Amino acid sequence: MISFEGVQLSFGSHQVLRDVSFSVTSGQMTAVLGPSGSGKSTILRLIMGLIRPQQGRVIVDGEDVTKMSERRLQRSRRKMGMVFQHNALFDGLNVAENVGFYPTYVEKRPWKQVLPEVEELLEDLGLADSAQKLPGELSGGMRRRVALARSLIYRPKILLYDEPTTGLDPYMTEVVAELIAEMNEKYAVTGVMVSHDLPTVYDIADHVVLIAEGQATVVGHPSELLRSEKPEVIGFASSWRRHIIEYSGEMSKEE
Amino acid sequence: MRVITSALETIGGITILSGRVARMMLRGGINLRLLLEQMVLLGVNSIPIAVIVLSFAGAVFTFVLAEELASRGAGSLVGGLQLLVFLQEMIPVFSGIVMAGKIGAAITSEIGTMKISEQLDALRALSTDPDWYLTVPRVLAGIIMMPVVAVFAGYGSWFAGYAMAHNQIGLRYSQFASAVDSLVSMHDFRMCFVKCMIFGATIVLVSCHSGYVAQGGAAGVGKAVTNGVVLNIVLIFLLDLLVTMVMG
């Protein structure tokens, strides 16, 4: 569904990605882990075609997004949705208008036709009472759900999540993680999630890719984080070891 | 050297943006709802402040000129002279400065904030060209509404000038307006509207560009707003000179 082939990217003299190659399987959720500043969010931007690499290819649904004109990219992006780290909701539009943005401005459908779909989705996400509120009037968890709804309304094949649970309290983190898992299943999307939040990764990811020192290492299932003998995975996991053991312990107790 | 590079980058950026916007407009890529919203925000909401500023300018102009002309027996020329000077210079330039301060700053801060909060990326992720959604309706609204603002501001300055002339040298309205036919021609009105449309487009393009290149958080947006307003004011005077020389 998505594959990176020898991707290299620098910002000025700082090389972020040296030689990144990995694939994302269709219909599954892949978590991209890695230390801060390792280029995890850059991976999502490359998939979306918001930035282009200096070398290598990013294939999305059979098309190389690195070589496309902006106009073709606009068409290609119709199969993708992205939930940004800070939500990136449009300040001047209320919740309903934010959620109905794509059908109104891209599909150019009349608002009367769009509104019932928006209301149904807001109902699904527990935001029915907030349709007329502005983003500034919402809590962090509500804003995250609006951002998710804005992407879900056009039923994309691929959903990209940039730190979907960052900045949320533990309860809201759990709610959002459950929501992501539920929506992925309901709408059968291929997901790529950048996260620091290991419990969420354990909960909803099928695969883990580790980005460290500009390279990607395919870890496999999240449980492989502790078992892997790859030096870069051991290096990353050691700093998270306590959290991973604690959480995988809790998981096995629950199981 | 850095200043020259930065100036060239800005000029290049604004030129490229203008080209993209012109292409989109020619292709007919305009959303009527967005255009009407911007016409209200940029134009209708700017009329009161433009009228106030130009009314004071009209009153001051007449205050300086009326007694001087009256003492030479040419008091009846006040209205005609005021209209001539205001049509050619004061209305477009003062309205331009008001718009640069009020609208230009608002556009730059809005787009700059959208940039640093990833809203521009969100637009692109939603298959929407930020130029289509943000720049085109604003530029078109600037071109359409700047002359409208100028008409209201012009009336403000005219009546404020008359009130001052009446108060100072006792001119009746018919006397105040008596020299208009001989001093003012349709060409002066044309020049006023052409300048207004050019300033309207320039102010919005410069302000949008300043917002698009903003970086580095709130301080970066503040800097972008200052740069945008300063550049707009300089460009208004430069373009005023060029248009006057060409149409003169």
Side-chain angles (χ1 to χ4, degrees):
Chain A
M1 187 71 165
I2 301 169
S3 63
F4 278 62
E5 296 173 5
V7 172
Q8 295 182 24
L9 177 78
S10 303
F11 294 122
S13 59
H14 175 54
Q15 187 157 34
V16 182
L17 303 177
R18 276 195 296 161
D19 182 14
V20 168
S21 301
F22 68 91
S23 297
V24 171
T25 317
S26 180
Q28 297 205 321
M29 169 64 87
T30 299
V32 180
L33 298 179
S36 293
S38 57
K40 301 186 297 295
S41 298
T42 305
I43 296 286
L44 300 186
R45 288 168 178 276
L46 283 164
I47 296 171
M48 197 43 111
L50 296 174
I51 48 174
R52 290 170 199 257
Q54 274 89 33
Q55 267 190 42
R57 305 198 310 159
V58 180
I59 311 289
V60 178
D61 204 19
E63 293 180 307
D64 183 0
V65 294
T66 63
K67 303 283 189 293
M68 282 183 186
S69 65
E70 193 59 32
R71 192 175 260 209
R72 273 193 66 204
L73 262 177
Q74 271 185 25
R75 277 201 297 272
S76 176
R77 285 179 190 134
R78 292 178 189 194
K79 56 186 131 186
M80 296 186 260
M82 183 159 173
V83 179
F84 286 81
Q85 187 176 356
H86 302 291
N87 309 308
L89 298 177
F90 305 126
D91 300 328
L93 306 182
N94 65 29
V95 167
E97 288 164 338
N98 262 285
V99 175
F101 187 93
Y102 186 93
T104 310
Y105 291 105
V106 181
E107 293 173 347
K108 302 190 192 309
R109 286 161 54 200
W111 183 244
K112 268 187 185 171
Q113 205 183 85
V114 173
L115 189 61
E117 288 171 39
V118 170
E119 284 172 342
E120 190 190 327
L121 197 53
L122 290 178
E123 184 78 46
D124 269 5
L125 295 171
L127 290 162
D129 298 336
S130 309
Q132 298 307 316
K133 287 184 179 167
L134 289 170
E137 298 170 303
L138 305 176
S139 69
M142 290 164 96
R143 280 202 287 267
R144 199 61 48 94
R145 281 181 278 161
V146 176
L148 185 60
R150 187 175 64 179
S151 292
L152 283 173
I153 194 153
Y154 57 97
R155 309 280 189 266
K157 286 187 193 172
I158 299 165
L159 257 176
L160 312 173
Y161 305 90
D162 194 357
E163 309 264 8
T165 53
T166 298
L168 301 178
D169 61 51
Y171 170 72
M172 213 19 96
T173 297
E174 214 166 291
V175 170
V176 169
E178 273 172 24
L179 202 60
I180 290 172
E182 197 184 309
M183 292 295 143
N184 278 357
E185 204 180 312
K186 183 171 176 183
Y187 297 107
V189 295
T190 301
V192 181
M193 172 180 67
V194 161
S195 184
H196 271 121
D197 179 25
L198 286 175
T200 304
V201 170
Y202 267 90
D203 270 348
I204 60 178
D206 301 299
H207 283 280
V208 172
V209 174
L210 178 69
I211 303 286
E213 292 175 12
Q215 288 184 310
T217 307
V218 178
V219 179
H221 189 266
S223 59
E224 294 295 319
L225 273 169
L226 282 182
R227 288 198 284 267
S228 175
E229 287 175 9
K230 292 174 183 165
E232 49 287 353
V233 179
I234 294 169
F236 174 77
S238 64
S239 56
W240 290 92
R241 199 173 175 79
R242 191 173 56 82
H243 299 277
I244 295 171
I245 290 170
E246 270 175 20
Y247 194 72
S248 37
E250 281 170 26
M251 290 278 287
S252 36
K253 269 184 219 161
E254 277 173 29
E255 278 160 16
Chain B
M1 192 63 193
R2 236 177 99 185
V3 176
I4 296 170
T5 318
S6 157
L8 288 174
E9 265 176 22
T10 306
I11 293 166
I14 294 168
T15 310
I16 291 168
L17 180 63
S18 312
R20 281 205 309 261
V21 168
R23 239 190 349 258
M24 268 182 210
M25 281 181 183
L26 291 174
R27 273 197 216 127
I30 298 157
N31 182 302
L32 202 62
R33 185 176 143 197
L34 293 173
L35 174 64
L36 290 173
E37 267 175 30
Q38 291 306 319
M39 283 169 69
V40 173
L41 282 172
L42 268 65
V44 178
N45 294 353
S46 302
I47 290 172
I49 181 71
V51 169
I52 291 169
V53 170
L54 264 297
S55 298
F56 281 118
V60 169
F61 185 87
T62 310
F63 181 80
V64 172
L65 212 62
E67 275 191 21
E68 197 61 42
L69 287 175
S71 68
R72 287 168 168 75
S76 60
L77 290 178
V78 176
L81 277 176
Q82 188 202 322
L83 191 58
L84 178 68
V85 172
F86 269 65
L87 281 175
Q88 289 215 1
E89 281 301 309
M90 306 292 258
I91 295 173
V93 170
F94 272 54
S95 303
I97 292 170
V98 167
M99 295 286 269
K102 185 177 184 293
I103 301 307
I107 290 174
T108 306
S109 60
E110 184 186 0
I111 295 180
T113 306
M114 287 182 79
K115 187 184 175 198
I116 61 166
S117 59
E118 295 182 313
Q119 289 176 54
L120 296 184
D121 282 338
L123 276 176
R124 293 173 67 204
L126 288 163
S127 305
T128 305
D129 187 333
D131 284 335
W132 174 82
Y133 183 70
L134 297 168
T135 320
V136 170
R138 282 166 175 76
V139 172
L140 204 54
I143 295 171
I144 296 169
M145 293 309 287
M146 181 82 179
V148 176
V149 172
V151 168
F152 283 93
Y155 272 113
S157 66
W158 172 255
F159 287 114
Y162 165 64
M164 185 58 80
H166 179 73
N167 185 49
Q168 256 195 316
I169 56 173
L171 279 187
R172 289 193 310 275
Y173 186 76
S174 57
Q175 291 173 306
F176 181 73
S178 63
V180 167
D181 284 346
S182 56
L183 288 175
V184 179
S185 66
M186 276 312 289
H187 176 73
D188 302 310
F189 284 94
R190 266 199 302 274
M191 186 188 280
C192 179
F193 285 127
V194 168
K195 281 184 178 179
C196 284
M197 287 193 277
I198 291 173
F199 293 170
T202 306
I203 289 163
V204 176
L205 280 166
V206 168
S207 307
C208 288
H209 178 262
S210 303
Y212 286 130
V213 297
Q215 46 184 235
V221 175
K223 198 175 155 196
V225 170
T226 309
N227 290 344
V229 172
V230 170
L231 183 58
N232 264 327
I233 290 173
V234 172
L235 280 177
I236 285 169
F237 284 100
L238 177 71
L239 290 169
D240 182 46
L241 175 66
L242 291 175
V243 177
T244 308
M245 284 166 70
V246 171
M247 289 188 75

